[in-house]
Amino acid sequence: MLKIEHLGIAVKNLNESISLFEQLLSTPCYKTESVASENVSTAFFKTGDSKIELLEATDENSPIAKFIAKKGEGIHHIAFEVENIEAEMRRLSALGFEILNATPKDGADNKLVCFLHPKTTNGVLIELCQEKR
Ligand code: ZN
């Protein structure tokens, strides 16, 4: 894995949280994007080499709505950038990690993504992401 690409934070109100994080980080949100496959709206910030992704549910079936109902707002996932997402999925699957999607899917910010079930990663939802080429 190359680096932590971003941290995902579940929020109740994306617009309010964008203002809050613009103040906190002293940098403007550089992109907002809806991800239909996940029923979320996202907003991205750059802090040096790292990014913060805010996620708001677009309906009650969204994984973000379920997360907030269970745990409240807060850190939702850690995303690691990988060179070859399919090779990493095979490697981790062979080691016993539970991968939540069988094939990489379209994520926000021009990425292919997949997720590892938190039950096999000490309770932390892990995202792998690879830049689309
Ligand atoms: Zn993410």
Side-chain angles (χ1 to χ4, degrees):
M1 302 205 190
L2 300 174
K3 63 173 186 182
I4 293 179
E5 213 278 338
H6 63 269
L7 291 181
I9 299 176
V11 304
K12 286 181 183 164
N13 183 311
L14 193 61
N15 285 331
E16 285 177 19
S17 295
I18 287 172
S19 301
L20 188 143
F21 274 80
E22 285 182 339
Q23 292 182 324
L24 177 71
L25 303 172
S26 189
T27 187
C29 166
Y30 72 89
K31 178 190 274 191
T32 57
E33 190 178 347
S34 290
V35 185
S37 64
E38 297 285 324
N39 301 354
V40 296
S41 296
T42 65
F44 283 88
F45 298 83
K46 286 194 176 106
T47 56
D49 266 355
S50 306
K51 295 176 191 165
I52 300 288
E53 175 186 31
L54 304 180
L55 303 115
E56 176 194 54
T58 54
D59 65 41
E60 70 270 22
N61 295 318
S62 166
I64 294 301
K66 291 173 189 159
F67 178 89
I68 287 178
K70 221 164 129 184
K71 299 188 174 175
E73 294 180 297
I75 293 181
H76 175 258
H77 64 271
I78 301 178
F80 292 98
E81 183 169 22
V82 299
E83 190 70 44
N84 180 333
I85 194 166
E86 285 170 345
E88 273 303 297
M89 288 168 74
R90 281 194 298 274
R91 183 182 76 82
L92 293 168
S93 179
L95 289 170
F97 292 97
E98 184 179 332
I99 296 171
L100 287 170
N101 43 301
T103 53
K105 54 186 178 180
D106 287 335
D109 210 25
N110 195 41
K111 300 277 197 284
L112 287 172
V113 304
C114 79
F115 290 91
L116 306 188
H117 197 293
K119 79 182 178 200
T120 57
T121 52
N122 285 167
V124 181
L125 179 63
I126 304 285
E127 174 185 340
L128 304 182
C129 60
Q130 178 201 306
E131 195 80 29
K132 281 190 206 166
R133 294 183 272 252

